[in-house]
Amino acid sequence: MTFRLYDTATREVRDFVPLEEGKAGIYVCGLTVQSEPHVGHVRSAVNFDVLRRWLTHTGHDVTFIRNVTDIDDKILAKSAEQGRPWFNLAYAMHAELTRALASINVLPPTYEPGATGHVPEMLEMIATLIEAGHAYAADDGSGDVYFDVRSWPAYGELTGQKVDDMEPAGDADPRGKRDPRDFALWKGWKRDTEPATAAWPSPHGPGRPGWHIECSAMAGKYLGTAFDIHGGGVDLRFPHHENEQAQSRAAGHAFASYWMHNAWITTAGEKMSKSLGNSLLVPRVLERVRGIELRFYMVSAHYRSHVEFSFEALEDAAVGFRRIETFLDKAGPGEAGEVPAAFAAAMDDDLGTPAAVAVLFDTVREGNRVEDPTLAAAQVRAMLGVLGLDPADPAWGGGAGDDAALTAAVDALVAGLLEQRAEARAAKDYARADVIRDQIKAAGIEVEDTPTGPKWSLNSAG
């Protein structure tokens, strides 16, 4: 079956036909590193990580670029509030992002460019747009440069809008614009309010790039003027991705063949965001569940479905995932096999992870019913590997499928306590057996009595 995806540009499900057979170039808009990442941020990263893993599994050589916006109005404002250099804030928050993504096993991108490292490419594209008549320098002395939206008849095609129906762009002072919808490609340095370190030399005077030109320039740098898939959160469709496409194509670039957008994680019906104050920072969430369980919670929902976050739903998902781990523990060590046909069909249908997870649980149930679960376990491991959820993946470290030495040490300690409990029960010293049981439970360990003896697992929700 051919991989099919919902293209948000055409608003239809399309067969994925890469520009070059056997390869796939993907560009995903990363974060503006102004503060710590929350669950809503990492959902996008997980969704496109699953896309990358599935394309790799099906034989594609994937080049995956995910940028970081490390200079921006919000970064400057936030750093000023905190009394620290903007570049120090961006560096620190980038490090927090890297740790958060590693904690849920998001693969590092092929490359992660930062906006501040690609100003020459941005200025080159701006010069091309000015020469082609699609951009202009403001005549108010600000040093700003704008994209002329009315010079590009196709402007609005990504989101199906007409220019006259759009609200004015809010990314720069409108006094220097020909049309209020024109958006900033270059922002002149504001000497009275911005640090000198936040400005780069340009033919238009010192300043810094606008948000949209950053991604166009970086995508072109690493994927070429035409590439396969551009992704990001649904909130980026307009104006960010609309503007990216317009300026790139106006500069003569074919740009993205397909557009994919993941939906939000909401709280109380509102998009999870820093400004709403309802963000849930990743380290705080991981105090209640493991990284592998948080990832499972996000993978279980379709990437285009809005998710109303709750700890109850998250902990339910964690319990479900621990059932999968229990099955694998009982089945014993083994190699990953082939994914079932039904799983592959679900993934080929626009990354249908809810249906794929249903196949995963069906296979676990079948494995629990048969005398020899080897085949089922091999299929389960293969499916978990595609979803980035294999407990044996070394990337999880001590967070899931724990480090072998640590596991062995804990296993020995728990085994000793279980032996003492068994001896106490055999001697009908039930009070002592209960004390040992309570000690084990207080340590966050669940014990299950099985025909082959007691099995233990960490109770992450405790």
Side-chain angles (χ1 to χ4, degrees):
M1 180 178 177
T2 302
F3 175 55
R4 293 168 60 77
L5 59 85
Y6 181 82
D7 182 2
T8 47
T10 62
R11 288 170 283 283
E12 62 182 6
V13 178
R14 300 171 54 199
D15 289 350
F16 176 62
V17 181
L19 295 172
E20 187 174 349
E21 187 175 357
K23 295 189 176 183
I26 303 174
Y27 184 90
V28 174
C29 284
L31 295 183
T32 298
V33 283
Q34 56 168 311
S35 59
E36 296 88 345
H38 57 60
V39 173
H41 293 139
V42 298
R43 184 201 181 182
S44 180
V46 167
N47 291 154
F48 288 103
D49 186 60
V50 170
L51 169 67
R52 176 190 185 178
R53 289 173 185 266
W54 181 241
L55 289 175
T56 300
H57 178 83
T58 53
H60 294 81
D61 179 11
V62 179
T63 301
F64 189 92
I65 306 299
R66 185 185 64 229
N67 80 294
V68 168
T69 297
D70 54 358
I71 182 66
D72 176 86
D73 290 345
K74 294 177 181 178
I75 292 174
L76 293 178
K78 185 78 70 174
S79 63
E81 289 174 6
Q82 298 180 9
R84 64 196 293 191
W86 65 268
F87 48 84
N88 173 259
L89 172 65
Y91 178 82
M93 294 304 101
H94 188 186
E96 291 287 343
L97 173 63
T98 299
R99 282 191 286 271
L101 296 182
S103 73
I104 52 173
N105 197 18
V106 172
L107 295 170
T110 307
Y111 189 60
E112 189 176 40
T116 55
H118 297 81
V119 173
E121 290 84 358
M122 299 171 201
L123 289 171
E124 182 179 355
M125 180 172 277
I126 291 171
T128 299
L129 290 168
I130 291 174
E131 185 177 353
H134 296 299
Y136 60 93
D139 58 9
D140 61 356
S142 63
D144 295 342
V145 179
Y146 297 102
F147 183 84
D148 185 349
V149 297
R150 293 195 182 273
S151 74
W152 186 245
Y155 185 69
E157 65 180 346
L158 180 64
T159 51
Q161 299 184 83
K162 295 180 180 179
V163 173
D164 290 332
D165 295 331
M166 298 177 184
E167 293 185 0
D171 61 350
D173 194 320
R175 289 176 296 178
K177 298 182 180 182
R178 296 174 183 172
D179 185 287
R181 271 126 325 208
D182 292 348
F183 58 87
L185 301 173
W186 187 257
K187 297 186 175 186
W189 178 39
K190 299 175 180 62
R191 296 174 180 271
D192 295 336
T193 58
E194 296 179 351
T197 52
W200 286 259
S202 84
H204 320 288
R208 56 189 169 87
W211 178 29
H212 315 300
I213 198 70
E214 295 176 351
C215 288
S216 287
M218 289 185 283
K221 173 79 170 181
Y222 298 102
L223 295 174
T225 58
F227 58 95
D228 297 303
I229 299 173
H230 195 314
V234 68
D235 52 320
L236 299 181
R237 287 182 68 231
F238 186 86
H240 185 47
H241 289 166
E242 186 73 72
N243 292 349
E244 270 191 71
Q245 177 167 281
Q247 66 198 6
S248 296
R249 294 187 174 172
H253 300 182
F255 211 51
S257 299
Y258 303 86
W259 289 86
M260 296 181 71
H261 293 91
N262 67 278
W264 297 334
I265 288 183
T266 57
T267 54
E270 296 183 272
K271 173 193 170 188
M272 187 178 293
S273 67
K274 310 176 188 96
S275 59
L276 287 175
N278 60 3
S279 58
L280 292 165
L281 303 182
V282 175
R284 302 291 78 76
V285 174
L286 295 184
E287 291 174 358
R288 300 184 64 160
V289 297
R290 295 174 296 161
I292 200 168
E293 294 164 345
L294 175 58
R295 182 180 176 106
F296 179 71
Y297 170 69
M298 291 186 282
V299 164
S300 298
H302 193 273
Y303 76 93
R304 288 194 288 115
S305 298
H306 289 293
V307 174
E308 178 69 16
F309 181 88
S310 74
F311 276 109
E312 181 180 8
L314 174 59
E315 289 165 358
D316 285 346
V319 170
F321 187 77
R322 289 198 289 274
R323 288 200 297 269
I324 298 172
E325 290 180 302
T326 298
F327 165 69
L328 291 177
D329 288 342
K330 290 179 180 178
E335 299 295 326
E338 297 294 325
V339 300
F343 178 90
M347 295 297 289
D348 276 335
D349 184 13
D350 193 30
L351 291 183
T353 54
V357 168
V359 175
L360 176 62
F361 277 115
D362 286 343
T363 308
V364 168
R365 281 190 288 271
E366 179 62 24
N368 280 323
R369 283 196 293 264
V370 299
E371 185 175 342
D372 183 3
T374 304
L375 175 59
Q379 291 178 324
V380 167
R381 289 191 174 91
M383 290 185 278
L384 291 175
V386 166
L387 299 174
L389 290 166
D390 183 359
D393 187 338
W396 288 115
D402 307 288
D403 176 81
L406 177 60
T407 301
V410 174
D411 198 30
L413 291 171
V414 175
L417 288 171
L418 290 175
E419 185 177 351
Q420 293 175 33
R421 177 172 173 258
E423 291 173 352
R425 294 179 69 181
K428 297 185 179 182
D429 187 353
Y430 299 116
R432 180 165 171 262
D434 288 344
V435 169
I436 296 172
R437 179 202 61 199
D438 292 342
Q439 287 176 331
I440 295 172
K441 188 174 182 180
I445 295 170
E446 290 288 341
V447 176
E448 178 186 6
D449 291 318
T450 73
T452 59
K455 301 282 187 180
W456 68 270
S457 62
L458 293 175
N459 179 10
S460 300

